[in-house]
Amino acid sequence: LRVIGSSIEEQTEVTLGNIEKILKDAGAELSDIVQSTVHLSDLTNFSSYDKVYARIMPPPHPVRTTVGSVLAPGVLIEIN
């Protein structure tokens, strides 16, 4: 496991960038997402993560569930 970024902002940008690349390879884009589940290792990071998410995800934003989860060491966010 290779973790890129040490802050929730950095990891959110990297994670959404990875999702965008996967979607592009499949002929889709971020605006095609209708639902996501976000796992945060620390729910006190919600506000910081939410600002990055709102900046990157095009409106209308998909339905989203955000939960606190035990993630691998150093991993602050996971998005399904």
Side-chain angles (χ1 to χ4, degrees):
L1 175 66
R2 182 173 157 233
V3 179
I4 300 173
S6 59
S7 71
I8 189 65
E9 294 89 353
E10 292 172 308
Q11 288 192 20
T12 301
E13 286 184 19
V14 168
T15 301
L16 290 173
N18 289 341
I19 291 170
E20 187 171 32
K21 289 175 190 171
I22 292 165
L23 289 169
K24 184 177 180 183
D25 287 348
E29 52 193 42
L30 291 174
S31 62
D32 293 313
I33 297 173
V34 295
Q35 192 279 332
S36 65
T37 302
V38 180
H39 300 265
L40 297 178
S41 65
D42 183 348
L43 286 174
T44 63
N45 285 330
F46 180 85
S47 179
S48 298
Y49 130 77
D50 192 49
K51 288 176 186 169
V52 176
Y53 187 92
R55 177 173 48 83
I56 294 174
M57 292 299 293
H61 297 124
V63 174
R64 173 178 53 155
T65 301
T66 303
V67 297
S69 298
V70 176
L71 302 175
V75 176
L76 305 176
I77 185 169
E78 179 180 303
I79 301 176
N80 299 332

